Amino acid sequence: MSTEINESVAAYDVFNGDADGICALHQLRLAEPLTAELITGAKRDIDLLNRFSSKSGDRLTVLDISLDSNIAALRQHLKAGAEVTYFDHHNAAQAFEHEHLHLYCDMAADVCSSILVNRYLNGLYWKWAVVAAYGDNLPAVANVMAGEAGLNQSQREQLQELGTLLNYNAYGESVDDLHFHPAALYQAMHDYIDPFDFLHNAAQFAVLRNAYASDMAFMQDLRADMESELTSIYILPAQAWARRVSGILANQLTQEEHGKSFAVLTAKPDGSYVVSIRSGEADHCPAGQFCSAFATGGGRRGAGGINHLPASEVDSFVQAFIAYFEKMEIPQLSLT
């Protein structure tokens, strides 16, 4: 039965456009149907609470976007009298208690927002949490969940492919780089209770599979621009395919070389860079902590990013990256 709300108030579903954000909302709305305005964007569009105003009684559901990056807007919505339910696993150093804030936050390295929703729903739609865990670069966690539920290897691989493709679709400078707007992809996916039905029948899955294969072909000849035993740095050109594969490349590298940390810098049209970081030692060298030292950075223990790194700061970034993830002092370095 659909949840009913007073017609004088509004409902907003605010979610990251990646696999985790979409799957988290999908699970929640399968269990708690609600007609709401969808607020989302490309993966790095995380200041989503600034995009709208609310009033007393409005209902906000927020999934998989950093609380710290939205703290001022969150306080404003609460001050206006909105009721906020918030699921997230990113850094939340500024978290606070409020009578109208229901916060479900866990910053452990083996948790994603869909897993938090799965816990909240007592495993009601667990397959989608598995899809999200695969997409959010938590394959070990996903394999355990899938194994405990009795899925065979072929089924796990199918869910892993779906999670990867949903996540792939979210990467880009803006939604113009994406194959599907995340809101449209969520709406298409929401017609399917079972992820296997979606991947076998949805046209969107076939489109993403073909597009992913095409973009991945560009990655075959990529080599690190700088590397050591503990770290590697890749620099990608200012092209749409590069913007779409940057996060996938970072995830792929961490799976291929466990214990190593990676930085993928992708050139933007204005000459600056967007950066994806993956930590090989999430507990001792959290990626989110490193990225938060930059004006437009943030993330979680295993993965983080910087939305805007000026070209003039690349050299200092490289030095800081190596010093942090190799836990050593180094001389000034530059990329050549």
Side-chain angles (χ1 to χ4, degrees), residues 7 216 271:
E7 291 184 358
M216 290 300 104

Side-chain angles (χ1 to χ4, degrees), residues 12-15 39-40 45-54 60-63 65-78 84-86 101:
Y12 301 90
D13 284 340
V14 187
F15 60 105
I39 309 293
T40 188
D45 293 338
I46 57 173
D47 58 343
L48 299 176
L49 290 181
N50 286 309
R51 293 190 176 183
F52 64 100
S53 299
S54 61
L60 280 61
T61 304
V62 188
L63 306 110
I65 62 170
S66 167
L67 183 145
D68 286 354
S69 297
N70 287 271
I71 191 69
L74 174 60
R75 290 187 181 277
Q76 186 59 43
H77 286 297
L78 291 169
V84 182
T85 301
Y86 209 124
L101 174 62

Side-chain angles (χ1 to χ4, degrees), residues 95-107:
F96 60 93
E97 293 185 359
H98 190 283
E99 61 178 331
H100 295 302
L101 174 62
H102 311 283
L103 180 61
Y104 302 87
C105 182
D106 187 337
M107 294 178 284

Side-chain angles (χ1 to χ4, degrees), residues 126-127 130 145-153 155-156 159 196:
W126 61 269
K127 290 178 186 175
V130 172
M145 293 176 66
E148 290 176 345
L151 296 188
N152 60 39
Q153 184 63 33
Q155 291 171 317
R156 296 181 201 182
L159 295 188
F196 291 107

Side-chain angles (χ1 to χ4, degrees), residues 27 114-126 129 145:
Q27 291 177 85
S114 287
I115 289 177
L116 297 181
V117 173
N118 185 57
R119 292 175 184 171
Y120 174 78
L121 298 176
N122 294 315
L124 190 57
Y125 298 104
W126 61 269
M145 293 176 66

Side-chain angles (χ1 to χ4, degrees), residues 47-311:
D47 58 343
L48 299 176
L49 290 181
N50 286 309
R51 293 190 176 183
F52 64 100
S53 299
S54 61
K55 60 184 182 302
S56 181
D58 283 357
R59 180 171 170 178
L60 280 61
T61 304
V62 188
L63 306 110
D64 200 39
I65 62 170
S66 167
L67 183 145
D68 286 354
S69 297
N70 287 271
I71 191 69
L74 174 60
R75 290 187 181 277
Q76 186 59 43
H77 286 297
L78 291 169
K79 182 179 180 181
E83 194 83 11
V84 182
T85 301
Y86 209 124
F87 294 89
D88 190 45
H89 65 126
H90 298 92
N91 286 346
Q94 301 180 64
F96 60 93
E97 293 185 359
H98 190 283
E99 61 178 331
H100 295 302
L101 174 62
H102 311 283
L103 180 61
Y104 302 87
C105 182
D106 187 337
M107 294 178 284
D110 59 352
V111 172
C112 62
S113 297
S114 287
I115 289 177
L116 297 181
V117 173
N118 185 57
R119 292 175 184 171
Y120 174 78
L121 298 176
N122 294 315
L124 190 57
Y125 298 104
W126 61 269
K127 290 178 186 175
W128 289 106
V130 172
V131 171
Y134 278 126
D136 217 36
N137 200 36
L138 297 173
V141 176
N143 282 331
V144 169
M145 293 176 66
E148 290 176 345
L151 296 188
N152 60 39
Q153 184 63 33
S154 175
Q155 291 171 317
R156 296 181 201 182
E157 290 174 357
Q158 290 178 69
L159 295 188
Q160 183 168 25
E161 181 182 19
L162 176 56
T164 299
L165 293 179
L166 293 176
N167 218 49
Y168 156 75
N169 182 73
Y171 279 94
E173 177 66 14
S174 70
V175 293
D176 292 335
D177 281 338
L178 313 186
H179 299 290
F180 297 102
H181 192 290
L185 186 56
Y186 159 75
Q187 289 172 319
M189 198 170 78
H190 199 57
D191 290 334
Y192 298 87
I193 295 176
D194 191 301
F196 291 107
D197 290 336
F198 178 80
L199 61 88
H200 288 141
N201 299 300
Q204 291 82 2
F205 178 81
V207 170
L208 289 176
R209 172 185 266 176
N210 291 333
Y212 178 81
S214 178
D215 281 349
M216 290 300 104
F218 289 106
M219 288 176 46
Q220 299 305 310
D221 297 324
L222 288 179
R223 297 291 182 271
D225 290 81
M226 180 176 293
E227 65 179 334
S228 69
E229 183 179 351
L230 296 176
T231 60
S232 287
I233 297 173
Y234 287 73
I235 301 180
L236 305 186
Q239 297 182 25
W241 70 264
R243 296 191 290 271
R244 289 193 293 263
V245 306
S246 59
I248 299 298
L249 172 61
N251 289 345
Q252 185 180 93
L253 291 169
T254 59
Q255 295 307 313
E256 292 175 350
E257 298 187 70
H258 296 287
K260 193 169 184 176
S261 298
F262 297 92
V264 178
L265 286 69
T266 307
K268 300 169 71 172
D270 64 3
S272 65
Y273 293 85
V274 61
V275 185
S276 292
I277 301 289
R278 298 294 183 270
S279 174
E281 293 189 47
D283 290 332
H284 299 99
C285 301
Q289 178 176 300
F290 173 77
C291 294
S292 294
F294 296 82
T296 60
R300 50 191 170 87
R301 287 186 177 273
I306 302 168
N307 289 341
H308 179 80
L309 180 70

